[in-house]
Amino acid sequence: LENEIADGLSRDCLTWTTTTEWSLDPKVFQKINSKMGPLRRDMFASPSNAKLPKFYSWRIFHQNMDAFSVPWKHRDYLFPTFNQISRVIRKIRDDEAKVVLVAPLWRTQP
């Protein structure tokens, strides 16, 4: 039962608060940026967790635009919510984007 509740909450894409946000450790981000950057835009951020001055959100909830509504180009940084990963991969393919995507390695997912 606990897993079902947690799974349901993790899939709820209508809820977005600062208490449910996560962020890559700043030291890890800096290593990625130094090796693969400079990165231009943080495509799945909020004001409280943005890693770069220019950022977008995965949905509109403040003045920044929806990340899916703009073209993805070179050196965008993507750390999407897990329930958005399939959509993100489709967008990368559609835009023929060269990005840095941070995502879990799920061997059991298609």
Side-chain angles (χ1 to χ4, degrees):
L1 180 62
E2 288 178 9
N3 188 44
E4 289 177 12
I5 294 169
D7 185 56
L9 291 172
S10 71
R11 295 173 187 268
D12 181 9
C13 61
L14 299 178
T15 303
W16 184 282
T17 66
T18 57
T19 60
T20 60
E21 291 184 12
W22 67 80
S23 179
L24 193 63
D25 182 277
K27 291 178 186 175
V28 175
F29 175 79
Q30 288 306 322
K31 285 182 184 179
I32 291 171
N33 197 20
S34 67
K35 289 186 180 194
M36 305 177 98
L39 299 173
R40 296 177 348 143
R41 304 180 296 184
D42 187 343
M43 300 306 289
F44 294 92
S46 72
S48 65
N49 71 6
K51 300 291 187 226
L52 297 165
K54 179 74 172 176
F55 66 94
Y56 293 86
S57 301
W58 68 273
R59 67 184 179 104
I60 298 172
F61 74 101
H62 55 79
Q63 72 275 12
N64 287 61
M65 294 174 53
D66 174 7
F68 290 103
S69 70
V70 296
W72 294 355
K73 301 181 181 185
H74 297 287
R75 292 195 165 86
D76 287 330
Y77 166 68
L78 312 171
F79 186 28
T81 58
F82 298 155
N83 63 345
Q84 295 291 322
I85 291 175
S86 294
R87 186 176 178 200
V88 166
I89 291 171
R90 280 193 303 275
K91 175 83 168 154
I92 291 168
R93 287 181 182 157
D94 291 347
D95 286 4
E96 298 179 356
K98 305 291 185 210
V99 300
V100 174
L101 171 62
V102 177
L105 176 60
W106 283 330
R107 298 187 193 283
T108 59
Q109 295 296 314

